[in-house]
Amino acid sequence: MNTDNYIFSKQIYKSINKDGSVRQLVSIDIRIKDTGISIPTPFTTFLLEYQSRKASTVSIVASLIVRFLNYLFFEMASPITSIAELTFQNGIDFLSALPCQSGGKTQYAEYLTKFYYFCKNRKMAEIEDLKKNPHSKYKTYTENIFKGRYKAESKQKVDAIHEIDTAYLPMFFDTARDIAPDIYLGLFFQFAGGLRASEVVSVEYSSIRIIRESGGMALSLKLEDKDLRPDLSSAFIAKVKRNRTQTVLSIFGNKLEEAYETHMKQYRRENVSAVFIDKNGNPMTVNTYWKRFNHVRREFIKRLYDCPNMETQMYAVFLESYKWSTHIGRGTYSNIVAQNANNIGEIAVMRGDSSLSSSLPYLNDNRSVEKKVQDTFDFFYRGEIL
């Protein structure tokens, strides 16, 4: 078998319940690279230990196990050929090399401990001296077998993630409104329109057309390459991937309309065509937008940690353990569109792609689009996460 053609991957499938609601199912698959075909593996059974948790929590666990399996079978200096060869040292080496921050490794070590017990109990691997925590009243709780055995948090470059769990988007938007109101409207452009950061700062008021619908106000944006900052020695250009017209959907009730009206009152300046401006009243550069966004990101993670809900705190650990910035808006939008699209062509149109191949990774199943995308956002706009 040519192992270079295989990789473990996390897949999220959807199941339609009898009442018409959608349930997300997380799977640990083996993917054939040259065909893109994914096949569920027996390791998916491990995720049943977390079946009472939210899909986002199961997804976090699956991501870690997938990374571990790829490390074992494809990335180690001497990869294993069967899970029966699993050793304690494999887990120690993996955790030592894992790039995490602020306690992330401790959480991951606990997940990995449970995975070791799973492999032993299923007789997939013979691992000696695994034991229950004698101080715990819970029969299912296992002692962290890796505690104190791996290197501390690494400062290496971390992997990137491309979407925010929809359930936490209201808190993310509220954080932006409080911390960086000058880019609050820009988040609607990204999460509800799929714009890149460079495209957000390219928007001029003359490029915006308001669309009034029964469900609220949407925006039609004419996106074009232009030099909004000829004063900069770097010859800054508001770079648009492709000149086009892009729709920003009405989401979270009338929040887009409120954001647009508030933004115009606070940040519109005479003789400045740009919608987004910096503290000096000049058209905002993409670097300034990134800095403002990352300020929101840090505060958002802090607010997640401050929530008393353990799963919310776990999501904070997850977000802090990975690299992400402005492009997560387009990624989140793309995934929500894909969940509701009938075909790849609809995804391409909604994302503003010129090539169908750019939209292919986001195609999940067959459903219809624009109204359902709005409904997906609105479904999670329920106030504060506890």
Side-chain angles (χ1 to χ4, degrees):
M1 181 178 71
N2 178 15
T3 57
D4 291 338
N5 194 32
Y6 294 86
I7 190 171
F8 287 95
S9 66
K10 176 189 73 176
Q11 297 293 327
I12 300 179
Y13 301 97
K14 289 189 297 184
S15 172
I16 308 298
N17 297 325
K18 291 181 179 180
D19 61 359
S21 61
V22 179
R23 179 187 178 195
Q24 290 183 315
L25 304 174
V26 185
S27 175
I28 297 175
D29 293 6
I30 187 76
R31 180 162 58 86
I32 306 172
K33 293 181 181 179
D34 59 7
T35 65
I37 295 174
S38 291
I39 304 169
T41 70
F43 299 117
T44 298
T45 309
F46 169 67
L47 301 179
L48 294 178
E49 294 196 20
Y50 300 89
Q51 61 184 335
S52 62
R53 304 288 187 89
K54 293 192 301 184
S56 57
T57 301
V58 182
S59 178
I60 293 171
V61 177
S63 294
L64 174 74
I65 301 306
V66 163
R67 292 174 76 175
F68 183 52
L69 291 172
N70 281 323
Y71 171 80
L72 292 174
F73 285 87
F74 307 120
E75 298 171 7
M76 289 196 308
S78 298
I80 66 175
T81 58
S82 168
I83 197 66
E85 302 171 29
L86 181 65
T87 67
F88 271 133
Q89 193 61 45
N90 294 150
I92 293 170
D93 292 343
F94 171 75
L95 288 168
S96 295
L98 190 65
C100 292
Q101 300 173 2
S102 302
K105 283 192 180 182
T106 300
Q107 184 71 68
Y108 290 155
E110 292 177 358
Y111 292 152
L112 209 58
T113 292
K114 291 186 178 181
F115 182 70
Y116 268 69
Y117 276 94
F118 167 79
C119 290
K120 181 179 177 64
N121 293 337
R122 293 297 176 110
K123 302 188 184 304
M124 301 168 74
E126 290 296 329
I127 306 169
E128 301 297 329
D129 298 328
L130 290 178
K131 57 184 178 180
K132 302 290 183 182
N133 184 348
H135 303 295
S136 174
K137 63 180 180 180
Y138 302 106
K139 295 181 180 180
T140 58
Y141 186 81
T142 53
E143 188 171 6
N144 184 347
I145 59 177
F146 299 107
K147 186 175 182 180
R149 297 188 180 187
Y150 53 83
K151 293 181 181 178
E153 274 62 23
S154 170
K155 295 184 179 180
Q156 301 177 41
K157 181 180 178 180
V158 297
D159 292 340
I161 56 173
H162 305 286
E163 62 178 313
I164 292 178
D165 188 323
T166 319
Y168 297 99
L169 280 182
M171 181 187 287
F172 182 75
F173 272 75
D174 288 347
T175 302
R177 183 193 57 208
D178 297 341
I179 300 300
D182 51 343
I183 67 164
Y184 178 57
L185 177 63
L187 297 185
F188 286 90
F189 289 5
Q190 295 200 274
F191 285 85
L195 271 67
R196 302 165 180 85
S198 60
E199 295 172 338
V200 170
V201 297
S202 78
V203 177
E204 298 174 285
Y205 284 102
S206 60
S207 305
I208 299 176
R209 180 171 64 88
I210 295 175
I211 304 172
R212 294 286 179 183
E213 299 174 331
S214 58
M217 185 193 82
L219 298 175
S220 176
L221 309 179
K222 186 178 181 181
L223 302 177
E224 298 176 311
D225 272 347
K226 59 197 68 175
D227 189 352
L228 295 180
R229 292 297 302 272
D231 57 305
L232 295 182
S233 58
S234 58
F236 172 79
I237 294 177
K239 182 66 177 175
V240 172
K241 182 77 171 181
R242 183 173 71 88
N243 288 357
R244 66 191 188 278
T245 299
Q246 191 75 36
T247 300
V248 179
L249 302 176
S250 174
I251 64 170
F252 299 154
N254 62 348
K255 293 297 181 182
L256 171 60
E257 184 171 3
E258 290 179 1
Y260 182 63
E261 292 177 352
T262 300
H263 188 91
M264 284 198 299
K265 290 178 182 178
Q266 294 184 351
Y267 300 107
R268 191 164 192 175
R269 300 289 184 270
E270 290 186 13
N271 303 319
V272 178
S273 63
V275 174
F276 297 93
I277 60 174
D278 61 22
K279 62 182 180 180
N280 297 316
N282 297 316
M284 186 178 291
T285 67
V286 71
N287 286 335
T288 298
Y289 187 90
W290 283 336
K291 290 177 181 177
R292 301 295 286 150
F293 183 95
N294 287 331
H295 187 37
V296 174
R297 178 180 59 83
R298 289 191 294 271
E299 176 63 21
F300 173 55
I301 291 174
K302 179 180 180 298
R303 291 187 182 190
L304 290 172
Y305 271 122
D306 289 342
C307 290
N309 183 288
M310 182 174 294
E311 290 193 355
T312 301
Q313 294 172 3
M314 287 172 59
Y315 191 62
V317 171
F318 172 72
L319 289 180
E320 197 171 39
S321 301
Y322 288 82
K323 179 181 178 182
W324 57 280
S325 189
T326 59
H327 207 66
I328 204 166
R330 179 169 169 82
T332 302
Y333 171 79
S334 298
N335 278 287
I336 293 175
V337 167
Q339 291 170 18
N340 296 283
N342 289 311
N343 54 61
I344 190 173
E346 289 181 343
I347 300 174
V349 169
M350 295 286 285
R351 280 169 39 92
D353 290 330
S354 58
S355 169
L356 294 181
S357 62
S358 300
S359 298
L360 186 59
Y362 296 98
L363 185 61
N364 291 336
D365 63 12
N366 297 317
R367 296 177 68 192
S368 55
V369 203
E370 190 165 298
K371 180 64 166 62
K372 290 184 178 179
V373 172
Q374 292 175 262
D375 290 344
T376 301
F377 278 105
D378 292 343
F379 177 76
F380 287 100
Y381 198 69
R382 296 174 172 174
E384 294 296 326
I385 298 291
L386 297 179

